[in-house]
Structures are given as C-alpha cells and as structure tokens.
C-alpha cells in the first residue's frame, strides 16, 4: 500500500526549530519529486518547498516566505524527506503536508502531486 506519513510536528516558541519527516511506505521516494505544503487556519493550502527526484541529483525550490529559514533534504537510505524549519514565526503555524509527484522536476500546484500524507500540526506561539 502506497503511503506517505509525516511526523515531527508540535508546539514551539517563536524563534525555535522543528524538523518534519516524510516517510514513504510501499514506494521509493527517490523516484519522485517531493513537496511540502502547509495550510494555515482559515487559509488555502500553499506550496512551500520541493526537492527534485533522485538519484540524478536533487535540486530544491523554496518559497520566498520561508527562504533562509527552511531547508528540504533527502535520506534515500531511510526513504525519508526532511523539512528543517528554523527561526519559526507565528505565521508558520498550520498543518504541514508532504506530497509525491511522479516526475523529476518540482511542481508548485497541488494537482501535480499524486500521493499525499495526512498532515502534521505545527504551532508557533509564545
């Protein structure tokens, strides 16, 4: 069964850090471009970052709103993609989703992604 599972969410104070994990089950993540999206309360889900398919090479794209604070990476041996989030702000609060796109290049739109995780909650508050 093909499945994506996010983990690592939680509550953190402004300026803090979290690492989210996106684990693949039933399929190899390195054959897919993997994106992270988030949905803030009362807002539409938005794309924040993506990493291209391995093993030719991995190139990351990242939204301006998180550039310089968030970083996406892969560990193919663990079939996992990570989202390192630093200098978190209250506006980073939301449900974070990972998604897999059956292509080499990243996509910026939800419809381009084939598989989705269930989401993990991130809350940034003092």
């Amino acid at each position: 069964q093909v499945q994506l599972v996010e983990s690592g969410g939680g509550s953190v104070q402004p300026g803090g850090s979290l690492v989210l994990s996106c684990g693949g089950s039933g399929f190899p993540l390195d054959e897919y471009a993997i994106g992270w999206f988030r949905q803030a309360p009362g807002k539409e889900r938005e794309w924040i970052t993506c990493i291209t398919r391995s093993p030719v090479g991995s190139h990351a794209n990242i939204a301006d709103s998180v550039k310089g604070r968030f970083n996406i990476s892969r560990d193919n041996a663990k079939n996992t993609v990570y989202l390192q989030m630093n200098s978190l702000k209250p506006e980073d609060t939301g449900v974070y989703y990972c998604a897999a796109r059956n292509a080499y290049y990243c996509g910026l739109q939800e419809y381009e992604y084939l598989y989705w995780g269930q989401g993990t909650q991130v809350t940034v508050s003092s």
Side-chain angles (χ1 to χ4, degrees):
Q1 182 180 357
V2 173
Q3 195 173 9
L4 287 173
V5 179
E6 303 96 336
S7 61
S11 295
V12 65
Q13 292 187 341
S17 297
L18 283 174
V19 179
L20 304 185
S21 299
C22 173
S25 177
F27 71 110
L29 291 191
D30 63 357
E31 295 184 6
Y32 291 77
I34 303 297
W36 283 96
F37 292 74
R38 70 182 177 191
Q39 187 166 21
K43 296 187 177 181
E44 293 185 352
R45 191 156 53 185
E46 64 171 342
W47 172 88
I48 53 174
T49 188
C50 175
I51 190 165
T52 56
R53 186 170 69 188
S54 295
V56 175
S58 287
H59 176 71
N61 299 91
I62 196 160
D64 288 342
S65 59
V66 301
K67 193 171 292 183
R69 300 189 297 122
F70 289 15
N71 183 61
I72 187 172
S73 62
R74 289 182 180 273
D75 185 335
N76 292 334
K78 295 183 178 179
N79 206 32
T80 301
V81 172
Y82 300 99
L83 181 63
Q84 172 75 49
M85 304 188 297
N86 301 322
S87 302
L88 283 162
K89 304 175 181 180
E91 52 263 43
D92 294 318
T93 293
V95 180
Y96 283 69
Y97 300 87
C98 66
R101 181 176 191 240
N102 190 12
Y104 174 76
Y105 295 104
C106 287
L108 305 185
Q109 306 298 326
E110 293 185 41
Y111 72 85
E112 297 179 278
Y113 289 83
L114 184 60
Y115 303 118
W116 289 81
Q118 82 290 348
T120 186
Q121 176 70 44
V122 172
T123 302
V124 184
S125 173
S126 56

